[in-house]
Amino acid sequence: MAENKPITKNVDWMVVLIYIACLGIGWVNIYAAVYNPEVNMSMFDLGNNAGKQLMWIGTAALLIICILVIDYKFYETFSFIIYAVIVFLLVVVLFAGSNINGSRSWIKFGAFSLQPAEFSKLAISLAISKYLSDPAISLTRKLKDYYPIMGIIALPAFLILLSNETGSMLVFASFAIVLYREGMPGFIPAIGMVTAALLIITLLFVKWYIAGVIIVIAGLAIWLMPVMTRRRGGLWATIIIAFVMIGIVFGVDFFMNNVLQKHQRGRIMVLLDPDSDPRGIGWNVIQSKIAIGSGGFAGKGFLQGTQTKFDFVPEQSTDFIFCTVGEEHGFIGSAIVVVLFVSLIARLVVLAERQRSRFARVYGYCVAGIIFFHFMVNIGMTIGLMPVIGIPLPFFSYGGSSLWSFSILLFVFLKIDAQRPFTLSRG
């Protein structure tokens, strides 16, 4: 019989301390990002982003208390209901949402704004975990078991895409980590990575050359293939794969010109050639790299960042908050941030692996995967290794919806993990 014990007895304090450290460092750097030496600014003034972020931190603390008070079984029992509520909000935002920065993804309540897309990560994580908690579900042997998962992810993704919030939708790629852990064959994510690499190569080189290389490689593979393998379908499989790859190569132009929007095409081209539009789309990345590089080993010092002070980097308190860390605290400060995130993700994986129930394990991997994706892409785009897709750095970037969603996502798992010694195994 499951017994509900006090959360303070079994909470994983290592995760909590990392969370608090991230909040504190993030808050200080938000203040540095918006600091104006000509104005007497306080970190506690609600008139600037630092003061507002402190308010979001306080409300996040109240949400955490609520999460820890609620019975841990609530999150599994009502997983699909929570998913349905978030999907409903994503539909509402399409008709009654406010347009901010070109994205119709916000619901406004007076001065307060809520972005349902941020909470879709929580909803999908709970729904996938609930679905996979069924012992009859097997991602190794049954193709049909993938269809509900694809639907769970695709519905919010489609609604978010309609609201022009592409960055939030791309985060759902992190669920591939969870599915791979639960038995998805390795060739599926491999196909995704090969496709992405092929798209990039196609943008860099002449298409006919690439098609020719594919044909040559396929021909060599068939020539070196054992006779028995050819008879068992290896010949036709190789030919079909080659034709699909050639189709991708010649389909890139259609994808770039008819699927992606102009600013999205520009971000991809800037990633491949940062100097292609230095005063336009490439401005953010160029100034970001200048800011981080100028910090050197130890940084310029707190509130001494010139790139920050003169607003060279747009969105520096939100998507590009890592620039402030790099400029003012240098390699040392940047390394501390990276170590914090690596430690957090590694600890979440350890906690996920020790869970007795499949629901808890899957949910733990969802949390770790989402944080890893945000961490990798956000820092990658500030140093020019990833396209600028506008996703925040968890617990660091300014924003109430982002902070709330990540805090809820994390502490729901800590609540479930705290009850682990008192729960029965369910698969």
Side-chain angles (χ1 to χ4, degrees):
M1 191 86 178
E3 184 181 354
N4 204 356
K5 294 290 184 179
I7 184 64
T8 53
K9 182 178 180 180
N10 299 296
V11 69
D12 192 89
W13 288 106
M14 178 179 176
V15 172
V16 174
L17 290 176
I18 294 174
Y19 170 78
I20 293 172
C22 289
L23 288 184
I25 297 172
W27 176 50
V28 169
N29 280 280
I30 289 172
Y31 176 68
V34 300
Y35 177 73
N36 186 344
E38 299 179 359
V39 179
N40 185 21
M41 292 180 61
S42 169
M43 298 178 73
F44 306 96
D45 184 1
L46 294 179
N48 61 66
N49 285 359
K52 293 176 183 177
Q53 186 72 358
L54 186 61
M55 179 185 69
W56 297 130
I57 292 173
T59 52
L62 295 177
L63 287 174
I64 290 169
I65 293 172
C66 293
I67 291 169
L68 301 182
V69 168
I70 296 173
D71 191 288
Y72 74 98
K73 291 178 287 188
F74 169 86
Y75 306 107
E76 180 175 4
T77 303
F78 291 94
S79 293
F80 290 132
I81 294 178
I82 294 172
Y83 176 83
V85 170
I86 297 301
V87 168
F88 173 74
L89 291 176
L90 290 174
V91 173
V92 169
V93 83
L94 293 176
F95 298 96
S98 298
N99 195 314
I100 299 178
N101 294 329
S103 173
R104 191 180 183 85
S105 58
W106 299 82
I107 298 177
K108 297 201 72 172
F109 305 94
F112 173 75
S113 297
L114 184 72
Q115 190 177 21
E118 286 290 340
F119 298 92
S120 63
K121 292 170 284 195
L122 168 69
I124 295 175
S125 298
L126 289 171
I128 288 178
S129 302
K130 178 65 174 178
Y131 172 73
L132 289 177
S133 66
D134 185 346
I137 301 299
S138 173
L139 299 184
T140 305
R141 301 186 304 271
K142 301 176 183 177
L143 180 62
K144 65 181 180 64
D145 287 345
Y146 285 91
Y147 300 151
I149 296 175
M150 292 168 60
I152 289 171
I153 297 174
L155 179 56
F158 177 69
L159 295 173
I160 290 171
L161 184 62
L162 290 179
S163 66
N164 198 25
E165 189 63 32
T166 311
S168 296
M169 183 198 71
L170 293 176
V171 175
F172 298 163
S174 64
F175 292 114
I177 298 173
V178 184
L179 301 180
Y180 179 72
R181 168 59 183 84
E182 294 303 313
M184 181 176 69
F187 74 85
I188 296 179
I191 289 173
M193 289 187 286
V194 169
T195 301
L198 193 59
L199 290 173
I200 294 173
I201 293 171
T202 302
L203 292 172
L204 293 173
F205 301 100
V206 178
K207 297 178 180 61
W208 285 105
Y209 291 168
I210 300 171
V213 171
I214 293 172
I215 292 172
V216 170
I217 293 175
L220 287 173
I222 294 171
W223 182 55
L224 296 173
M225 190 180 295
V227 176
M228 290 301 295
T229 304
R230 294 182 191 177
R231 291 176 180 175
R232 291 173 181 171
L235 173 63
W236 287 109
T238 304
I239 293 173
I240 291 171
I241 291 173
F243 271 106
V244 169
M245 294 179 71
I246 293 172
I248 292 173
V249 168
F250 288 98
V252 167
D253 286 340
F254 177 83
F255 177 77
M256 292 287 290
N257 297 323
N258 297 280
V259 177
L260 297 182
Q261 298 180 17
K262 182 179 179 180
H263 70 280
Q264 294 168 336
R265 293 195 297 271
R267 288 171 179 176
I268 292 175
M269 299 312 298
V270 164
L271 176 65
L272 300 175
D273 181 9
D275 298 322
S276 61
D277 189 11
R279 295 188 177 275
I281 295 178
W283 174 266
N284 285 28
V285 176
I286 292 172
Q287 297 302 320
S288 172
K289 291 194 289 185
I290 291 173
I292 295 173
S294 67
F297 183 74
K300 298 176 180 176
F302 182 55
L303 302 182
Q304 301 303 311
T306 53
Q307 292 289 111
T308 299
K309 188 179 300 181
F310 296 110
D311 294 327
F312 281 104
V313 183
E315 309 295 339
Q316 195 158 340
S317 65
T318 53
D319 299 341
F320 284 85
I321 188 65
F322 189 71
C323 297
T324 306
V325 177
E327 183 179 20
E328 298 196 349
H329 308 288
F331 174 80
I332 295 175
S334 301
I336 290 173
V337 172
V338 171
V339 168
L340 282 174
F341 274 104
V342 171
S343 300
L344 174 61
I345 294 165
R347 185 58 182 171
L348 289 174
V349 170
V350 170
L351 296 184
E353 284 294 338
R354 76 179 188 181
Q355 299 305 309
R356 296 184 178 185
S357 74
R358 194 180 187 189
F359 172 86
R361 183 180 69 235
V362 172
Y363 182 76
Y365 266 97
C366 286
V367 177
I370 290 168
I371 293 177
F372 169 73
F373 188 92
H374 272 266
F375 159 70
M376 176 185 69
V377 174
N378 182 276
I379 292 183
M381 71 186 192
T382 63
I383 58 177
L385 295 179
M386 292 284 180
V388 179
I389 60 175
I391 63 173
L393 186 61
F395 316 121
F396 276 76
S397 296
Y398 168 76
S401 293
S402 171
L403 179 58
W404 281 9
S405 66
F406 281 115
S407 298
I408 295 171
L409 191 73
L410 181 64
F411 278 87
V412 165
F413 180 54
L414 290 186
K415 171 66 176 180
I416 296 171
D417 174 68
Q419 300 298 327
R420 176 185 52 84
F422 315 106
T423 55
L424 298 176
S425 177
R426 294 187 55 187

